[in-house]
Amino acid sequence: MDFEHADALNQAIRLLSLRHRARAAALLAPLGLYPGQEALLLELDRSGAMIQAQLSEALGCEPPSVTLMTRKLEATGHISRRPAPADKRASVVELTDSGRALVARIRELWRSLAEETTAGLSARTVAELPGLLKTLTDNVDTRQPRS
């Protein structure tokens, strides 16, 4: 790949990432959320209660980031934390009724954001995007050993 193509590709990915995050932040703000918190709530909705280390792995975040998010979401009443039965040093995190109600609003917001982001693309392209983007993510995932 020549530099001009590589530059165009890298710039497009960088700008998409920045603008998507900014748009998500603008949509989440009226819900009292910051980017990343919605992913945590959606993961708990998908997977159920889990310890923070599992949540960190599922989100692809560092444990201190998850600790900060869980503290803030617990303070707003959207999640609860309790000591894990098998390891009192670990915390089990789960949605509260307030968190479940908020997840329903996040799902609507997420659908709108996806539709806005993919406007003008064919249904086939939109269907292929998750797989393509996962491949790109896996290609640059620094948490995985390089082969």
Side-chain angles (χ1 to χ4, degrees):
M1 177 182 312
D2 64 26
F3 174 76
E4 286 75 23
H5 191 189
D7 186 46
L9 180 62
N10 287 320
Q11 288 291 350
I13 292 169
R14 184 182 71 78
L15 287 174
L16 173 60
S17 176
L18 290 171
R19 297 215 171 113
H20 188 271
R21 185 173 176 87
R23 183 66 180 130
L27 293 170
L28 291 166
L31 301 180
L33 296 174
Y34 296 96
Q37 291 177 324
E38 85 290 350
L40 188 149
L41 293 168
L42 289 168
E43 184 59 36
L44 288 174
D45 185 59
R46 260 191 301 277
S47 303
M50 62 177 72
I51 62 170
Q52 282 186 206
Q54 293 168 319
L55 194 50
S56 175
E57 182 64 28
L59 296 173
C61 294
E62 294 298 318
S65 297
V66 171
T67 298
L68 182 62
M69 282 192 283
T70 56
R71 283 183 184 152
K72 288 181 179 182
L73 290 168
E74 183 179 37
T76 57
H78 300 310
I79 63 165
S80 64
R81 295 186 301 167
R82 60 182 157 70
D87 181 356
K88 299 298 181 198
R89 296 170 298 162
S91 293
V92 175
V93 182
E94 61 188 324
L95 288 173
T96 62
D97 290 341
S98 168
R100 278 185 282 285
L102 187 56
V103 164
R105 295 177 67 194
I106 293 168
R107 286 174 172 271
E108 286 302 315
L109 180 149
W110 232 219
R111 274 195 280 276
S112 295
L113 180 57
E115 289 169 359
E116 183 180 323
T117 303
T118 60
L121 298 178
S122 71
R124 180 178 177 180
T125 299
V126 171
E128 292 173 349
L129 273 175
L132 293 169
L133 294 171
K134 182 182 181 323
T135 298
L136 295 177
T137 300
D138 290 349
N139 288 344
V140 295
D141 189 349
T142 58
R143 298 172 307 143
Q144 297 178 12
R146 303 308 268 172
S147 42

